[in-house]
Every structure is written in C-alpha cells, then in structure tokens.
Amino acid sequence: MGKAIDFFSQPVHAPVQEFQLPAFDQADVSVWIKREDLIHPFVSGNKWRKLKYNLMEAETQEKRSLLTFGGAYSNHLVAVAAAAACCGFMSKGFVRGDEKPRNHMLYLCETFGMELIYVDRTTYKDKEALTQQKITETTYVLDEGGTNALAVEGCAEIAAEVNQHFDHVFAACGTGGTLAGLAKGFATSAPQTQVHGIAVLKNGGFLKEVVESFVPGLLNWQLHLNEHKGGYGKTSPELLRLIQETAADTGILFDQVYTAKVLMALLRMLDAGEINRGSKILLLHTGGALGYLSQHG
Ligand SMILES: *Cc1c(COP(=O)(O)O)cnc(C)c1O
C-alpha cells in the first residue's frame, strides 16, 4: 500500500468533548468542542482533512513532489511539509514576504525538509507564473490554503464523526474549504444543523461564492463577515486574554488567527441573544495552536 493511503487511512482521534465556560451557563446553552487539533501535531486539524484526498490522489498519479504557497505564518505550509515527509513526497513552498522572514513556522517547514522559496508580495500574486518556474511532470500543486474539491471531500467527513445532534456548528473560515465541507457533511448526516463560518479576514464577501461553488443549493450554512477583529492576523489584548484564560481554565489552546476568533464570535452572539437559550452548540477546533507562539517573540 502507498504511504499516503496508509497515513491517511489510520483511524482519526478527534473526540467531541464537553466545553464549559461560565458564559455558556449564563446563556443557558451547552457547548461541545471537536478536537480536530488532536489529529496530528503538525498536520493539524482541518489541514489533515484537506490534504487527505489530495495526497492520496498525488500518490495515485505517481507524483513525487508537492508544490504550494503560503504566508510567513502559514499553518498550511507546515502541514504540507510534515505530511509530505510522512508520505514520502518532497515538498517546495513559495513564501510571501518582502524580506526573508524567519520564524518558528518556517523553521518547522525546513526541518520537515521543505524547500522554501521567498518571493515579494507582487511576484507572489502571480501564482501561475511561479508554478511554471518549478513544476515538472512529477509535481502535484496545492493552492494556498489547500482548498479544492478533494479538500472539501475530506472536510465533509468531519460531520460523520459527530454522533449527537447539534443545533449549531461553528468553525473558522479562511478560504472556505472547511465551511463547504462541513455544509456538505452535515447536510447528509444532520440536515437540521446550522453551520456557521466565522470569516477571519476583512472583506470576506467572496467566500460566499467560493462555498456556493462547492455546495450549490445548500442552505444549511451561513457566513459571519464582521467577526474578524480588524483583519487577517490582527489581534487585540482582549483576544489574547481570552486565549490565555481559556487555556488556563480548560487546558485547550486556541490561536489568535483562527480559533480564538470563533470563540470570541460565539461569546458575542450569546451575549447579544442571537442564539436561542437551550441550544446545543459544537465548536470545531480546527488546529493551528502553534500559531499562538508567534505572540511570544
Ligand atoms: C487554515 C485554517 C483554517 C481555515 O480553513 P479554510 O478551509 O481555509 O477556510 C481554519 N482554522 C485553522 C486553525 C487553520 O489553520
């Protein structure tokens, strides 16, 4: 059996756990968290889901090298580097950044054997031209963030692992692949469940078209475009305090780019009475907790 098929066919450990914060009692809701972050330390959370069928496909096509793109703090780059190493592929990543950035995420990429190619912001925009520079017959190309139909397929499998009923499911939304997959999966396994995507970037209106293109006609999902706290990667003392308090109270680490924004959005919606009392809510911990470390030098 191929290494990728073997790696991604192993049973997934992403349990649904009760998640208790005082604010949830006050709002009279019960909240659970699906620990996608526990699937793998480096092929974390939704990145594992999104890479699953892509890497199996790459192996079937007898590709030898993965080529992809990401920002300097990209969870996707680290996940591709680690998954490539697990599955016997070489990997190359174009990194966006005007001067050569150095940080713990890129250091991990290199440690897993990824070749990093640094390009300035203008050059980075023309991904087609960059791809042409490095592609060979044995290269499998993954877009920035890794969203495509196979990624949506992988994320749809999350729903089938949830065997209690939830009124609402919440997840972070960056490129829309995870939200599309959740909508697709829950439409089959629990059509009454409403799936909420929290856009973590400003001007996320385009995400609606992306999700619709993958799951045309589905009405079980919605996007929240005003919970990004100033834009992608933007943080605040309030957000960091929430991460620290939640970590100390529950032992679960969120990150400021994705998962903490979801928690903060949920707390705001509860406070504003936008969610019915008595609701049962599932939060998806999509991983990426390593990103929190960028707050510390
Ligand atoms: C990449 C990422 C997301 C965004 O997923 P999309 O499918 O791109 O919307 C959410 N959470 C975490 C932790 C991520 O690393």
Side-chain angles (χ1 to χ4, degrees):
M1 196 156 52
K3 275 191 170 184
I5 291 173
D6 200 23
F7 178 74
F8 284 103
S9 301
Q10 286 168 39
V12 168
H13 178 70
V16 174
Q17 304 170 338
E18 193 155 15
F19 185 52
Q20 285 173 320
L21 294 181
F24 301 153
D25 290 337
Q26 280 155 30
D28 192 23
V29 292
S30 76
V31 180
W32 300 65
I33 184 164
K34 189 166 188 327
R35 301 291 307 278
E36 297 283 302
D37 57 315
L38 299 181
I39 295 178
H40 191 279
F42 306 109
V43 191
S44 178
N46 67 340
K47 301 303 184 278
W48 191 97
R49 305 285 183 178
K50 296 176 81 169
L51 291 172
K52 176 177 178 178
Y53 290 111
N54 275 292
L55 268 60
M56 287 181 172
E57 177 62 20
E59 188 166 83
T60 304
Q61 292 180 14
E62 299 185 352
K63 303 294 190 191
R64 302 184 48 133
S65 176
L66 307 176
L67 177 64
T68 195
F69 307 84
Y73 287 95
S74 168
N75 294 327
H76 169 71
L77 279 184
V78 174
V80 171
C86 290
C87 299
F89 296 102
M90 293 182 294
S91 65
K92 287 189 178 66
F94 284 104
V95 184
R96 181 186 64 229
D98 288 321
E99 77 275 8
K100 194 169 165 172
R102 291 287 320 163
N103 64 48
H104 64 284
M105 300 295 271
L106 296 173
Y107 181 59
L108 275 173
C109 289
E110 286 179 339
T111 303
F112 286 116
M114 180 176 258
E115 180 193 331
L116 297 176
I117 308 151
Y118 296 91
V119 289
D120 64 66
R121 280 165 198 279
T122 320
T123 316
Y124 185 87
K125 281 194 185 125
D126 193 350
K127 298 206 175 66
E128 189 53 41
L130 290 174
T131 302
Q132 287 315 318
Q133 282 175 27
K134 292 285 173 188
I135 198 168
T136 71
E137 272 177 10
T138 56
T139 308
Y140 188 87
V141 181
L142 288 156
D143 205 352
E144 178 169 19
T147 286
N148 60 14
L150 291 175
V152 171
E153 221 45 63
C155 291
E157 292 182 346
I158 295 170
E161 292 170 19
V162 177
N163 39 35
Q164 326 173 34
H165 177 78
F166 289 97
D167 301 299
H168 302 281
V169 174
F170 282 83
C173 183
T175 65
T178 303
L179 178 55
L182 290 170
K184 184 170 183 170
F186 280 101
T188 308
S189 68
Q192 305 304 321
T193 300
Q194 187 69 13
V195 181
H196 301 260
I198 305 299
V200 299
L201 36 82
K202 227 192 308 209
N203 304 322
F206 71 95
L207 291 166
K208 190 158 185 286
E209 277 102 87
V210 173
V211 176
E212 267 163 8
S213 73
F214 287 115
V215 291
L218 288 189
L219 300 171
N220 63 338
W221 60 276
Q222 56 185 287
L223 255 171
H224 299 265
L225 297 177
N226 297 316
E227 309 285 354
H228 55 71
K229 307 288 163 211
Y232 185 77
K234 294 284 191 299
T235 167
S236 67
E238 201 192 1
L239 194 67
L240 296 178
R241 206 177 321 116
L242 178 65
I243 294 173
Q244 287 155 5
E245 285 176 4
T246 309
D249 288 350
T250 68
I252 303 176
L253 184 61
F254 289 71
D255 79 293
Q256 66 282 3
V257 181
Y258 295 102
T259 49
K261 286 187 180 174
V262 178
L263 180 57
M264 194 144 214
L266 173 61
L267 291 169
R268 190 202 60 71
M269 289 167 75
L270 291 173
D271 199 45
E274 292 170 23
I275 292 178
N276 290 341
R277 301 185 84 81
S279 295
K280 197 166 163 189
I281 298 163
L282 181 67
L283 273 182
L284 209 67
H285 194 317
T286 42
L290 283 174
Y292 175 66
L293 298 178
S294 67
Q295 287 303 309
H296 190 75

Coordinates of all heavy atoms in Angstrom, one line a residue, residues 51-88:
L51 N -5.8 17.8 3.2 CA -4.7 17.1 2.5 C -5.0 15.7 2.2 O -4.5 15.1 1.2 CB -3.4 17.2 3.3 CG -2.8 18.6 3.3 CD1 -1.6 18.7 4.3 CD2 -2.4 19.1 2.0
K52 N -5.9 15.1 2.9 CA -6.1 13.6 2.8 C -6.3 13.1 1.4 O -5.5 12.4 0.8 CB -7.4 13.2 3.7 CG -7.7 11.8 3.5 CD -8.9 11.4 4.4 CE -9.3 9.9 4.2 NZ -10.4 9.5 5.1
Y53 N -7.4 13.6 0.7 CA -7.6 13.0 -0.6 C -6.7 13.6 -1.7 O -6.4 13.0 -2.7 CB -9.1 13.2 -1.0 CG -10.0 12.3 -0.2 CD1 -10.8 12.8 0.8 CD2 -9.9 10.9 -0.3 CE1 -11.6 12.0 1.5 CE2 -10.7 10.1 0.4 CZ -11.5 10.6 1.4 OH -12.3 9.7 2.1
N54 N -6.1 14.8 -1.4 CA -5.1 15.4 -2.3 C -3.9 14.5 -2.3 O -3.3 14.3 -3.4 CB -4.8 16.8 -1.9 CG -5.9 17.8 -2.5 OD1 -5.9 18.0 -3.8 ND2 -6.7 18.4 -1.7
L55 N -3.4 14.2 -1.2 CA -2.1 13.4 -1.2 C -2.3 12.0 -1.7 O -1.4 11.4 -2.3 CB -1.5 13.4 0.2 CG -0.5 14.6 0.3 CD1 -1.1 16.0 0.1 CD2 0.3 14.6 1.6
M56 N -3.5 11.4 -1.4 CA -3.8 10.1 -2.0 C -3.8 10.2 -3.5 O -3.3 9.3 -4.2 CB -5.2 9.6 -1.5 CG -5.1 9.2 0.0 SD -6.8 8.6 0.4 CE -6.6 7.9 2.0
E57 N -4.4 11.3 -4.0 CA -4.5 11.5 -5.4 C -3.1 11.7 -6.0 O -2.8 11.1 -7.1 CB -5.4 12.7 -5.7 CG -5.5 13.1 -7.2 CD -6.1 12.0 -8.1 OE1 -6.8 11.1 -7.5 OE2 -5.9 12.0 -9.3
A58 N -2.3 12.4 -5.3 CA -0.9 12.7 -5.8 C -0.2 11.3 -5.9 O 0.6 11.1 -6.9 CB -0.2 13.6 -4.8
E59 N -0.4 10.5 -4.9 CA 0.3 9.2 -4.9 C -0.2 8.3 -6.1 O 0.6 7.7 -6.8 CB 0.0 8.5 -3.6 CG 0.8 7.3 -3.4 CD 0.7 6.8 -1.9 OE1 -0.3 6.2 -1.5 OE2 1.7 7.2 -1.1
T60 N -1.5 8.3 -6.3 CA -2.1 7.6 -7.4 C -1.6 8.0 -8.7 O -1.3 7.2 -9.6 CB -3.7 7.7 -7.4 OG1 -4.1 7.3 -6.1 CG2 -4.3 6.9 -8.4
Q61 N -1.4 9.3 -8.8 CA -0.8 9.9 -10.1 C 0.7 9.8 -10.2 O 1.4 10.3 -11.1 CB -1.2 11.4 -10.2 CG -2.6 11.7 -10.4 CD -2.9 13.2 -10.5 OE1 -2.0 14.0 -10.7 NE2 -4.2 13.5 -10.4
E62 N 1.3 9.1 -9.2 CA 2.7 8.8 -9.1 C 3.6 10.1 -9.1 O 4.6 10.2 -9.6 CB 3.2 7.9 -10.2 CG 2.5 6.5 -10.1 CD 3.0 5.5 -11.1 OE1 3.7 5.9 -12.0 OE2 2.6 4.3 -10.9
K63 N 3.0 11.1 -8.4 CA 3.8 12.4 -8.2 C 4.8 12.2 -7.1 O 4.6 11.3 -6.3 CB 2.8 13.5 -7.8 CG 1.7 13.8 -8.8 CD 2.2 14.3 -10.1 CE 1.0 14.8 -10.9 NZ 1.4 15.1 -12.3
R64 N 5.9 12.9 -7.2 CA 6.9 12.8 -6.2 C 7.1 14.0 -5.3 O 7.8 13.9 -4.3 CB 8.3 12.5 -7.0 CG 8.1 11.2 -7.8 CD 9.4 10.9 -8.5 NE 10.5 11.0 -7.4 CZ 11.4 10.0 -7.3 NH1 11.4 9.0 -8.1 NH2 12.3 10.2 -6.3
S65 N 6.6 15.1 -5.8 CA 6.9 16.4 -5.1 C 5.6 17.2 -5.0 O 4.8 17.3 -5.9 CB 8.0 17.1 -5.9 OG 8.2 18.4 -5.2
L66 N 5.4 17.9 -3.8 CA 4.3 18.8 -3.6 C 4.8 20.2 -3.7 O 5.9 20.5 -3.2 CB 3.7 18.5 -2.2 CG 3.3 17.1 -1.9 CD1 2.8 17.0 -0.4 CD2 2.2 16.5 -2.9
L67 N 4.0 21.0 -4.4 CA 4.4 22.4 -4.5 C 3.2 23.3 -4.0 O 2.1 23.0 -4.4 CB 4.7 22.8 -6.0 CG 5.0 24.2 -6.3 CD1 6.3 24.7 -5.7 CD2 5.1 24.4 -7.9
T68 N 3.5 24.2 -3.1 CA 2.4 25.0 -2.6 C 2.9 26.4 -2.2 O 4.0 26.8 -2.4 CB 1.6 24.3 -1.5 OG1 0.4 25.0 -1.3 CG2 2.4 24.3 -0.2
F69 N 2.0 27.2 -1.6 CA 2.1 28.6 -1.3 C 1.6 28.9 0.1 O 0.7 28.3 0.5 CB 1.3 29.4 -2.3 CG 1.5 29.1 -3.7 CD1 0.8 28.1 -4.3 CD2 2.4 29.9 -4.5 CE1 1.1 27.8 -5.7 CE2 2.6 29.6 -5.8 CZ 1.9 28.5 -6.4
G70 N 2.2 30.0 0.7 CA 1.7 30.4 2.0 C 2.4 31.6 2.5 O 3.5 32.0 2.1
G71 N 1.7 32.3 3.5 CA 2.3 33.4 4.2 C 3.3 32.9 5.1 O 3.5 31.7 5.3
A72 N 4.0 33.9 5.8 CA 5.1 33.5 6.7 C 4.7 32.7 7.9 O 5.5 32.1 8.5 CB 5.9 34.8 7.1
Y73 N 3.4 32.8 8.3 CA 2.9 32.1 9.5 C 1.9 31.0 9.1 O 1.1 30.7 9.9 CB 2.3 33.1 10.5 CG 3.4 33.9 11.2 CD1 3.7 35.2 10.7 CD2 4.1 33.4 12.3 CE1 4.7 35.9 11.3 CE2 5.1 34.2 12.9 CZ 5.4 35.4 12.4 OH 6.4 36.2 13.0
S74 N 2.0 30.5 7.9 CA 1.0 29.6 7.4 C 1.0 28.2 8.0 O 2.0 27.5 8.0 CB 1.3 29.5 5.9 OG 0.5 28.4 5.3
N75 N -0.2 27.9 8.6 CA -0.4 26.5 9.1 C -0.4 25.5 7.9 O 0.0 24.4 8.1 CB -1.7 26.4 9.8 CG -1.8 27.2 11.1 OD1 -0.8 27.4 11.7 ND2 -3.0 27.7 11.4
H76 N -0.9 26.0 6.8 CA -0.9 25.1 5.6 C 0.5 24.7 5.2 O 0.7 23.5 4.9 CB -1.6 25.9 4.5 CG -1.5 25.3 3.1 ND1 -2.2 24.1 2.8 CD2 -0.8 25.6 2.0 CE1 -1.9 23.8 1.5 NE2 -1.1 24.7 1.0
L77 N 1.5 25.6 5.2 CA 2.8 25.3 4.8 C 3.4 24.2 5.7 O 4.0 23.2 5.2 CB 3.8 26.5 4.8 CG 3.7 27.5 3.6 CD1 4.8 28.5 3.7 CD2 4.0 26.7 2.3
V78 N 3.3 24.4 7.0 CA 3.8 23.5 8.0 C 3.1 22.1 7.8 O 3.8 21.1 7.8 CB 3.6 23.9 9.4 CG1 4.0 22.9 10.4 CG2 4.4 25.2 9.7
A79 N 1.8 22.1 7.6 CA 1.1 20.9 7.4 C 1.5 20.1 6.1 O 1.7 18.9 6.1 CB -0.4 21.1 7.3
V80 N 1.7 20.9 5.0 CA 2.2 20.2 3.8 C 3.6 19.7 4.0 O 3.9 18.5 3.6 CB 2.1 21.2 2.6 CG1 2.8 20.6 1.4 CG2 0.7 21.6 2.3
A81 N 4.5 20.4 4.6 CA 5.8 20.0 4.9 C 5.8 18.7 5.7 O 6.5 17.7 5.3 CB 6.6 21.0 5.6
A82 N 5.0 18.7 6.7 CA 5.0 17.5 7.6 C 4.3 16.3 6.9 O 4.8 15.2 7.0 CB 4.3 17.8 8.9
A83 N 3.2 16.6 6.2 CA 2.5 15.5 5.6 C 3.4 14.9 4.4 O 3.4 13.7 4.2 CB 1.2 16.0 5.0
A84 N 4.1 15.8 3.7 CA 4.9 15.3 2.6 C 6.0 14.3 3.2 O 6.2 13.3 2.7 CB 5.6 16.5 1.9
A85 N 6.6 14.7 4.3 CA 7.6 13.9 5.0 C 7.0 12.6 5.4 O 7.6 11.5 5.3 CB 8.2 14.6 6.1
C86 N 5.8 12.6 6.0 CA 5.1 11.4 6.4 C 4.8 10.4 5.2 O 4.8 9.2 5.4 CB 3.8 11.7 7.1 SG 4.0 12.5 8.7
C87 N 4.5 11.0 4.1 CA 4.0 10.2 3.0 C 5.0 10.0 1.9 O 4.7 9.4 0.8 CB 2.8 10.9 2.4 SG 1.4 11.1 3.6
G88 N 6.3 10.4 2.1 CA 7.3 10.1 1.1 C 7.4 11.0 -0.1 O 7.9 10.6 -1.1

